[in-house]
């Protein structure tokens, strides 16, 4: 009997402590440089990976994504390689007082190279934020923040019981008051803070697309999104009409799920949502940034959303698109065209080599191209053709 | 009927009537408050004619019964009031007048009497009503924001509404712009495992936000965000004129801040931490 109890409690403790011990070394600095989309050069403060060999100790805006599994015990070393004191507060992680990163109740990490090690267990899957808690009004606005993700016990799922996805995107929304970031040492009275720049993972305007923040997928994908607002204002995300968005949780806790087309995110809030494409989409998520003093809209960003037909839809349609001979020499016959329309043929680099109209029924086209593989597109269908 | 029965009926009737007809007298005050050399005008429904702290009164009322209290207006203007959870319930009080405020049976939770008179509205004269709330500890936070110069103009009845270029520099919890300090009645004391019920009112002029360190709370009630009742959150908004009821059951000991995460609000006289920040002090 005693042995059974022992074995049972051993198995229980194993399943409870399914996490691992993981270690990360961060550095805080105050010498970040960035050019805003209007050409303005600013200074930011922030965090980087403390790994001189690969990262050159650079800091980033926002700081590096910190990501662990539920149950993990994390050990995070902070080396403060800057002139002023900093800390890390683990926003939403409900860590104990000693690891809370608040100077007067926990510990400050002094400037000039002091070090501190934070240790805690990742209790609940979801989206969190980490940020400096020294003179927070200034230090957070200067860029000392990042996103912190805890993965659920099931793969490709935001929470333990809900939020399954096939593709995932994580967006940390933040803002800055460019006057502070150009003159951080004398920002003036704090109450005059006025954000004038909104970011998505540190990027704004056309950078969002260039820096690969766009959502891409096909209509069978489910798009998992972890959203966090670390600014001082309201961030409103408006989703494309044909992306049905379901909210599964907030602040690292599941809620009774519901469908919405807009999410209002107030300072420090996070949401876990999944978008289900209802059709092909060539649109964007509108991200509006509002000042809380007067509810004025002061900045808008767009996250492109590009949802294509599924590969299975393509192969289904291919069965009805009869094309011969394939490989071909100079003439192709295309049979069973369901309706009149325009077709294109491109090479594998996407360069168009032919365009023309096809009529319902059978069509013949002449094609004088180099040897190789080409793609014929018609309607939502596409098929590979090979020139010998 | 035995004497014993008559006495017990008398006791029951008597005890019920003391709950039903509240003997409280509250006072409408408008006064200049000074903290650390900075003065601002504050409107208040106080439980004292000469309060030490100009926080709005909090009434703990039994559920399922009607309630009443006496209201004395010490101001030279008249005030209109309404209930935030039922705006058809209104009261008017003339300048330097006295009225009885009769409250019908209200659903359990946190409600507030708010002013629709511009001075009362902008300067945050309000009264928090806690109906049938039970817990090991009951606390309340009244969040209010103002620009100190603007408040002087409001007190002179020169202002019709909050200007579009509003830049508040006074942020208070329970009328205290130094809410993180040990002197504040906003600080929450409790023990691990206790049920702590916190009533929150936003009597200010903009939306506010609350972030808890150390714990998630459960939203038990919210007069605007009814779709979020039952959610477990660590960061959330409270809209202007909204009342919320929060339940905190601490699962670890420690001292943790609670604050508005619009971090412009945790400043007073350019000092940090001040304003809309306070502390949780939880014993093992
Ligand atoms: Cu925070
Ligand atoms: Cu904080």
């Amino acid at each position: 009997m005693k042995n059974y109890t022992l074995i049972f409690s051993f198995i229980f403790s194993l399943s409870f402590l399914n996490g691992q011990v993981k270690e990360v070394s961060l550095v805080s600095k105050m010498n970040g440089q960035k050019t805003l989309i209007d050409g303005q050069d600013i200074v930011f403060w922030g965090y980087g990976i403390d790994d001189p060999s690969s990262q050159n100790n650079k800091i980033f805006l926002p700081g590096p994504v910190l990501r662990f599994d539920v149950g993990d015990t994390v050990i995070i070393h902070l080396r403060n390689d800057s002139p002023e004191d900093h800390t890390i507060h683990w926003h939403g992680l409900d860590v104990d007082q000693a690891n809370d990163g608040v100077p007067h109740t926990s510990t400050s990490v002094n400037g000039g190279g002091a070090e501190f090690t934070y240790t805690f267990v990742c209790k609940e899957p979801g989206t969190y934020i980490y940020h400096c808690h020294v003179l927070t009004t200034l230090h957070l606005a200067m860029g000392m923040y990042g996103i912190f993700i805890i993965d659920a016990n099931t793969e490709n799922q935001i929470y333990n019981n809900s939020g399954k996805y096939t593709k995932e995107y994580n967006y940390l929304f933040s803002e800055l008051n460019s006057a502070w970031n150009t003159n951080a040492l004398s920002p003036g009275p704090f109450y005059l803070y006025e954000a004038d720049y909104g970011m998505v993972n540190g990027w704004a305007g056309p950078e969002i697309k260039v820096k690969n923040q766009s959502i891409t997928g096909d209509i069978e994908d489910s798009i998992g999104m972890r959203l966090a607002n670390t600014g001082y204002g309201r961030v409103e995300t408006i989703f494309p009409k044909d992306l049905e968005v379901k909210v599964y949780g907030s602040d690292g806790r599941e809620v009774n799920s519901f469908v919405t087309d807009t999410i209002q995110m107030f300072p420090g809030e996070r949401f876990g949502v999944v978008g289900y494409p209802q059709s092909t989409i060539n649109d964007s998520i509108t991200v509006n940034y509002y000042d809380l003093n007067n509810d004025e809209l002061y900045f808008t960003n767009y996250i492109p959303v590009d949802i294509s037909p599924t590969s299975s839809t393509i192969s289904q349609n291919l069965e009805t698109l009869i094309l011969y001979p394939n490989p071909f020499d100079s003439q192709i016959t295309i049979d069973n065209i369901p309706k009149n329309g325009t077709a294109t043929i491109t090479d594998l680099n996407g360069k168009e080599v032919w365009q023309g109209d096809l009529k319902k029924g059978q069509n013949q086209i002449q094609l004088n191209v180099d040897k190789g593989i080409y793609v014929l597109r018609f309607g939502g269908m596409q098929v590979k053709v090979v020139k010998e | 009927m035995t004497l014993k029965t008559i006495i017990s009926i008398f006791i029951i009737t008597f005890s019920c009537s003391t709950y039903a007809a509240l003997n409280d007298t509250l006072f409408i005050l408008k006064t200049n408050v000074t903290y650390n050399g900075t003065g601002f005008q504050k409107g208040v429904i106080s439980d004292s004619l000469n309060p030490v702290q100009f926080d709005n009164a909090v009434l703990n009322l039994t559920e399922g019964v009607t309630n009443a209290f006496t209201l004395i207006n010490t101001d030279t203007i008249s005030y209109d009031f309404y209930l935030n959870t039922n705006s058809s319930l209104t009261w008017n009080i003339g300048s330097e007048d006295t009225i009885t405020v009769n409250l019908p049976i209200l659903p359990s939770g946190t409600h507030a009497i708010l002013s629709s008179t511009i001075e009362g509205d902008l300067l945050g004269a309000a009264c928090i009503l806690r109906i049938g709330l039970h817990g090991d500890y009951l606390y309340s936070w009244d969040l209010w924001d103002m620009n100190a110069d603007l408040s002087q103009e409001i007190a002179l009845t020169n202002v019709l509404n909050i200007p579009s270029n509003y830049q508040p520099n006074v942020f208070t919890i329970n009328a205290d712009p130094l809410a993180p300090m040990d002197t504040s009645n906003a600080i929450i004391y409790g023990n691990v495992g206790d049920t702590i019920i916190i009533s929150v009112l936003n009597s200010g002029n903009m939306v506010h936000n609350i972030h808890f360190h150390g714990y998630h709370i459960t939203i038990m009630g919210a007069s605007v965000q009814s779709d979020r009742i039952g959610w477990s959150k660590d960061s959330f908004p409270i809209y202007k004129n909204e009342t919320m009821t929060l339940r905190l059951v601490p699962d670890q000991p420690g001292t943790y801040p609670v604050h508005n995460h619009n971090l412009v609000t945790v400043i007073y006289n350019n000092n940090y931490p001040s304003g809309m920040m306070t502390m949780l002090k939880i014993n093992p």
Side-chain angles (χ1 to χ4, degrees), chain A residues 220-231:
Chain A
E220 283 185 358
D221 277 321
S222 40
I223 312 295
M225 287 174 271
R226 295 180 184 86
L227 311 172
N229 176 12
T230 193

Side-chain angles (χ1 to χ4, degrees), chain A residues 33-97:
Chain A
Q33 291 185 341
K34 183 182 173 72
T35 303
L36 304 185
I37 53 172
D38 63 1
Q40 191 176 183
D41 289 321
I42 61 141
V43 169
F44 70 88
W45 307 348
Y47 303 101
I49 300 288
D50 195 12
D51 177 4
S53 57
S54 67
Q55 301 280 349
N56 199 23
N57 274 2
K58 259 176 76 174
I59 57 169
F60 300 93
L61 182 72
V65 174
L66 300 181
R67 188 164 188 164
F68 302 95
D69 292 314
V70 65
D72 282 350
T73 298
V74 301
I75 299 170
I76 298 174
H77 307 284
L78 173 65
R79 191 169 60 82
N80 182 9
D81 188 9
S82 81
E84 291 189 26
D85 293 2
H86 299 298
T87 64
I88 305 178
H89 166 57
W90 311 97
H91 179 112
L93 287 158
D94 299 345
V95 304
D96 64 6
Q97 185 184 333

Side-chain angles (χ1 to χ4, degrees), chain B residues 26-29 43-46 56 69 71-75 77-84 86-95 97 99-103 112-128:
Chain B
L26 303 182
F27 304 88
I28 301 171
L29 311 172
V44 54
I45 298 179
S46 177
N56 284 311
F69 64 90
L71 184 63
I72 298 174
N73 183 6
T74 70
D75 202 353
I77 58 167
S78 68
Y79 282 88
D80 288 308
F81 290 101
Y82 66 99
L83 191 73
N84 77 323
N86 178 2
S87 57
S88 64
L89 214 56
T90 61
W91 300 273
N92 172 269
I93 184 167
S95 69
D97 199 1
I99 62 167
T100 300
V101 175
N102 288 300
L103 296 167
I113 292 174
L114 300 169
S115 180
S116 52
T117 302
I118 195 74
E119 290 76 15
D121 179 17
L122 271 47
L123 297 180
C127 175
I128 295 176

Side-chain angles (χ1 to χ4, degrees), chain B residues 16-28:
Chain B
C16 281
S17 65
T18 56
Y19 278 114
L22 207 80
N23 292 319
D24 278 313
T25 299
L26 303 182
F27 304 88
I28 301 171

Side-chain angles (χ1 to χ4, degrees), chain B residues 8 10 46 51 79 93 100 103 115 119 127 136 144 150 154 174 178 183 228 239 250-251 269 272 282:
Chain B
S8 58
F10 176 78
S46 177
Y79 282 88
I93 184 167
T100 300
L103 296 167
S115 180
E119 290 76 15
C127 175
D136 295 306
W144 178 73
L150 181 67
I154 295 167
N174 300 345
L178 309 173
T183 46
R228 288 182 166 198
Y239 290 88
D251 60 353
N269 269 352
Y272 169 98
I282 305 300

Side-chain angles (χ1 to χ4, degrees), chain A residues 265-280:
Chain A
M265 304 183 68
F266 286 86
E269 282 197 290
R270 296 89 62 206
F271 286 87
V273 309
V274 180
Y276 304 96
Q278 302 297 299
S279 69
T280 60

Side-chain angles (χ1 to χ4, degrees), chain A residues 22-41:
Chain A
K22 293 176 185 164
E23 221 165 327
V24 174
S25 294
L26 296 178
V27 63
S28 55
K29 293 185 163 218
M30 296 166 71
N31 61 355
Q33 291 185 341
K34 183 182 173 72
T35 303
L36 304 185
I37 53 172
D38 63 1
Q40 191 176 183
D41 289 321

